[in-house]
Amino acid sequence: MKLILQGHDYRYAVEQSLLAFFPAERPVYDGDDPHTATVTLTVEGDTARSDTVITAEGRTAHGTASTAVPPSADGCTRERLCQRAVKLSFFHAAQALTGRTPAWGALTGIRPAKVAVSLLEEGHTPEEADAVLRDTYCVSPSRRQLCMECALAELAADRGRTDRDVSLYLGIPFCPSRCAYCSFVSNSVEKSMKLIEPYLEALHREIVSAGELTERLRLRLRTFYMGGGTPTTLSAPQMDHLLALLEEVFHLSALEECTVEAGRPDTITPEKLRLLRDHGIRRISVNPQTMEDTVLQAVGRRHTAADIRRTMDEAAAVGFPHINMDLIAGLPEDSPEGFARSIDQVMAFGTDHITIHTLSLKKGSRISLEGTRLPPEEAVGEMLAHAESVLRAAGYAPYYLYRQKYQSGSFENVGWARPGGECLYNIYMMEELHSILSLGAGGTTKLVDRRQNRIERAFQLKYPLEYIQRPEKIGENQRAFAAFYEAHIPL
């Protein structure tokens, strides 16, 4: 669809609205396209007004939205309010043209709970916040409930926070093979085994300098998360050395939780599990994504459901207090019936944390490149509805959620936990409650100043080889981290 923007350049806001209603369309700004959307924004006095005209399949529809822009609003607030008007006008036009309302209504952002949190922090009651989600954004009842529950969980996690709190992320960008849906920065070991040792040497140097940095800034480490990739791709000695170094250079006395992704059962051994537990790791992630062997094969996993069951038995024997498990709705060759079987089997393990993802068709994934056949949107919606029903009945509650671009059905990813099973790092990272210091290739350091509502990012080098060859970039990121604290959150 050709997008014509007049009076603004809010491309991302309009593109997200486009995908919610027209998932098969892609934004075009030059050339001709029989499908068009003209989105106009005018700001007069203290009012921003947006008008949208959409023409598709020989039909035309109009949408209008206005929002007040207080004269005292700062630049970021004005931008947010103007974007709200733009998104709402597109929503009303698309709703009139298609006759349908997406589950999330006019909300298109990554963090829908932020809207509810802002309303609650302004003094609105949960009932009043729910009414805004219903009346202004046309969010469905089930998504409003998810949003409000996750907002309340975020506010609970935020109690007692200080400006010196940070979380640490450690990236291990290696996997035994690459899944068909994956677009993350990860190298399959079969192609990059020779990079692991030099990568770890560079990472060890960064860990030492980061430890010195956090001590100088007097930061308090609250959560630690090792992700990837698949960290358990490392050998037991490699992981032992890495965790021992972390314990040596960081002050860990204030840690609330330590998590290591052990996502692939084909990388997990009893020796590695015992080693993790000996180093104080209390939470691991075993992420099958599905318990259907045909689906595992379709996405390029080199293990079976039986391997997952073996791994969970081994993890139970070691005695981890918390185990995260992930499933993805909408994978190739899956069906609502198959997904229901996967849910039943994962719940039978007794894990206290299950994340239900919706497949996101990222551009770099093999699924997108090869045009793999996928379950239709209606089937994905059925999978998610069933998951919510059985998880709630079993005592799980949603505590964090986020959405992604090109997500099937414009749905969402939701973390479900039994009481006490919540992964705090997920909340801190996704809802940006404090800074995340990211070490290793492919990660992003988030610098958060809540007092000024300011967030900056420092991107790590994307690929392991770059990370190995350009140590100066590590120094640049750590200097940027220090400068941010010295400028905005001084001692």
Side-chain angles (χ1 to χ4, degrees), residues 17-23 91-105 138 377-378 409-411:
S17 299
L18 168 70
L19 290 171
F21 280 95
F22 308 99
F91 170 81
H92 292 311
Q95 187 183 45
L97 187 74
T98 64
R100 59 183 287 267
T101 302
W104 282 103
C138 302
E377 177 180 329
E378 296 76 14
S410 193
F411 291 122

Side-chain angles (χ1 to χ4, degrees), residues 146-223:
L146 285 177
C147 199
M148 293 304 304
E149 288 175 295
C150 291
L152 292 171
E154 175 185 338
L155 291 173
D158 198 26
R159 297 189 188 108
R161 178 196 59 83
T162 75
D163 289 337
R164 313 315 292 180
D165 288 347
V166 297
S167 288
L168 179 68
Y169 176 84
L170 198 65
I172 307 297
F174 300 95
C175 287
S177 65
R178 192 176 183 87
C179 298
Y181 54 79
C182 182
S183 65
F184 290 130
V185 179
S186 63
N187 287 33
S188 61
V189 171
E190 60 194 359
K191 296 181 179 179
S192 58
M193 178 69 79
K194 63 183 180 182
L195 292 179
I196 293 181
E197 277 297 336
Y199 176 83
L200 289 175
E201 290 174 8
L203 183 59
H204 293 165
R205 290 191 292 271
E206 185 180 19
I207 288 171
V208 171
S209 58
E212 295 169 351
L213 175 67
T214 57
E215 183 172 2
R216 175 162 59 86
L217 296 174
R218 299 182 190 175
L219 300 178
R220 184 170 67 160
L221 199 60
R222 302 314 306 269
T223 68

Side-chain angles (χ1 to χ4, degrees), residues 283 323-325 351-355 396 399 416-417 421 423 426:
R283 180 187 296 269
I323 299 179
N324 301 350
M325 297 192 78
T351 179
D352 60 356
H353 184 290
I354 299 173
T355 301
Y396 295 83
Y399 77 96
W416 296 84
C423 180
N426 287 338

Side-chain angles (χ1 to χ4, degrees), residues 410-439:
S410 193
F411 291 122
E412 67 285 320
N413 306 315
V414 181
W416 296 84
R418 289 185 168 130
E422 300 85 356
C423 180
L424 293 173
Y425 174 84
N426 287 338
I427 302 178
Y428 296 153
M429 179 272 298
M430 187 53 59
E431 303 304 336
E432 298 170 332
L433 299 186
H434 62 222
S435 295
I436 309 292
L437 176 58
S438 178
L439 310 183

Side-chain angles (χ1 to χ4, degrees), residues 388-466:
E388 177 172 358
S389 175
V390 297
L391 287 168
R392 286 190 184 279
Y396 295 83
Y399 77 96
Y400 94 111
L401 69 91
Y402 65 102
R403 302 173 69 201
Q404 294 171 278
K405 199 173 184 180
Y406 304 124
Q407 200 154 29
S408 179
S410 193
F411 291 122
E412 67 285 320
N413 306 315
V414 181
W416 296 84
R418 289 185 168 130
E422 300 85 356
C423 180
L424 293 173
Y425 174 84
N426 287 338
I427 302 178
Y428 296 153
M429 179 272 298
M430 187 53 59
E431 303 304 336
E432 298 170 332
L433 299 186
H434 62 222
S435 295
I436 309 292
L437 176 58
S438 178
L439 310 183
T444 301
T445 289
K446 288 185 179 181
L447 299 158
V448 179
D449 176 6
R450 295 279 297 283
R451 291 175 298 179
Q452 300 181 56
N453 195 28
R454 184 186 189 94
I455 296 175
E456 295 181 8
R457 290 171 173 80
F459 298 96
Q460 292 280 58
L461 290 164
K462 193 172 183 180
Y463 299 106
L465 186 59
E466 286 183 305

